């Protein structure tokens, strides 16, 4: 079955640590996105990539980094510079330009 | 001003009721309008999308867009307990940026 796979489902980070969230898709979609979801704030765009080896900052990119070395993969690193990383992170990809398909999310908690 | 504003709810209705969910948006350049449904601790799933003013129907769901007033709505007829979820409106800008509302939590009581 085609889809978007995010892993892990739950992730715990200690203060000062970098952590990487995985996002893989087998839909052959060109564009991929990372969103952060906090209660009452909806989805906020962190980074997006339209093609391999190219990506752009979204509205809240500070403290995050990404790479797009393969079409299928768009990992997100939450660095120690991100002061409030506890949130639900969602990866998405788009077919054409209109339909965004989402993964099941990774819940990151700082301990 | 946020790109998309959405009533946060929560909204609680009895089974069988008609539900109306609403959003407003700020930029007349937004091209596509979408509704997503998100169950607790899951990723959003696309319900419907449209690009023109007017109504689009899919089963018990109707999406409505009024570009003149920058208003988008989702109507659910004969609501079911399985419809209980958070509903997110979204708009597409420049064919590559999505903006989402904050979501309305709906509870349909049996």
């Amino acid at each position: 079955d085609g889809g978007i796979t995010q892993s892990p489902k739950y992730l715990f980070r200690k203060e000062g640590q970098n952590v990487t969230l995985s996002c893989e898709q087998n839909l052959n979609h060109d564009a991929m996105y990372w969103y952060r979801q906090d209660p009452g704030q909806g989805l906020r765009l962190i980074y997006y990539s339209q093609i391999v080896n190219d990506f752009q900052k979204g509205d809240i990119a500070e403290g995050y980094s990404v790479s797009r070395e393969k079409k299928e993969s768009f990992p997100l690193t939450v660095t120690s510079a991100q002061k409030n990383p506890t949130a639900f992170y969602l990866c998405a990809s788009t077919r054409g330009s209109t339909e965004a398909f989402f993964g099941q999310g990774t819940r990151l908690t700082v301990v | 001003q946020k790109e998309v504003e959405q009533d946060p709810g929560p909204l609680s209705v009895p089974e069988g009721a008609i539900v109306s969910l609403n959003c407003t948006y700020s930029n007349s350049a937004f091209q596509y309008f979408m509704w997503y449904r998100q169950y607790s601790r899951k990723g959003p799933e696309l319900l419907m999308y449209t690009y023109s003013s007017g109504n689009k129907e899919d089963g018990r769901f109707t999406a409505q867009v009024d570009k003149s007033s920058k208003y988008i709505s989702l109507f659910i007829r004969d609501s079911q307990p399985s419809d209980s979820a958070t509903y997110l409106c979204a708009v597409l800008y420049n064919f590559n940026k999505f903006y989402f509302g904050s979501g309305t939590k709906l509870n349909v009581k049996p």
Side-chain angles (χ1 to χ4, degrees):
Chain A
D1 285 339
I4 300 177
T5 302
Q6 287 188 243
S7 62
K9 191 172 182 179
Y10 299 97
L11 186 58
F12 298 90
R13 190 194 96 166
K14 292 183 180 179
E15 296 278 354
Q17 261 187 344
N18 292 354
V19 292
T20 297
L21 284 60
S22 171
C23 178
E24 303 277 331
Q25 55 101 357
N26 60 2
L27 299 167
N28 199 32
H29 289 174
D30 289 313
M32 297 185 74
Y33 302 77
W34 273 106
Y35 290 91
R36 169 179 171 142
Q37 188 174 32
D38 295 283
Q41 294 198 47
L43 278 66
R44 292 183 290 168
L45 181 63
I46 305 173
Y47 268 97
Y48 66 103
S49 168
Q50 299 286 97
I51 56 172
V52 174
N53 292 321
D54 187 51
F55 47 82
Q56 286 77 40
K57 292 182 179 180
D59 302 312
I60 55 164
E62 185 175 351
Y64 300 97
S65 66
V66 293
S67 63
R68 187 85 186 276
E69 297 177 1
K70 298 186 298 181
K71 187 176 184 178
E72 302 79 18
S73 178
F74 191 40
L76 173 75
T77 297
V78 184
T79 74
S80 57
Q82 170 50 240
K83 298 306 177 190
N84 184 24
T86 294
F88 190 48
Y89 290 86
L90 287 159
C91 179
S93 67
T94 57
R95 173 174 68 195
S97 299
T98 57
E99 296 183 53
F101 292 84
F102 285 86
Q104 291 305 293
T106 294
R107 187 164 297 278
L108 173 63
T109 304
V110 174
V111 297
Chain B
Q1 182 184 10
K2 284 187 177 180
E3 289 82 8
V4 183
E5 299 274 4
Q6 183 173 6
D7 292 335
L11 193 58
S12 186
V13 302
E15 183 175 353
I18 296 175
V19 176
S20 172
L21 304 168
N22 306 295
C23 292
T24 57
Y25 61 93
S26 59
N27 190 338
S28 57
F30 293 145
Q31 300 127 330
Y32 284 83
F33 310 91
M34 292 144 280
W35 284 95
Y36 285 82
R37 176 174 62 196
Q38 185 177 23
Y39 292 111
S40 182
R41 301 180 184 272
K42 301 289 186 183
E45 55 178 335
L46 179 68
L47 275 177
M48 301 179 70
Y49 75 90
T50 184
Y51 58 87
S52 58
S53 281
N55 294 349
K56 182 176 181 179
E57 197 172 309
D58 185 0
R60 296 185 294 111
F61 297 89
T62 299
Q64 186 178 82
V65 176
D66 182 347
K67 288 189 173 183
S68 62
S69 58
K70 301 191 188 70
Y71 201 80
I72 53 180
S73 301
L74 178 70
F75 300 97
I76 308 174
R77 291 185 299 280
D78 187 24
S79 55
Q80 302 295 310
S82 59
D83 295 329
S84 298
T86 296
Y87 290 80
L88 300 157
C89 59
V91 298
L92 177 65
Y93 174 69
N94 203 31
F95 294 102
N96 63 11
K97 287 193 79 173
F98 293 84
Y99 293 104
F100 288 84
S102 56
T104 300
K105 190 169 185 178
L106 172 66
N107 180 35
V108 181
K109 298 174 290 185

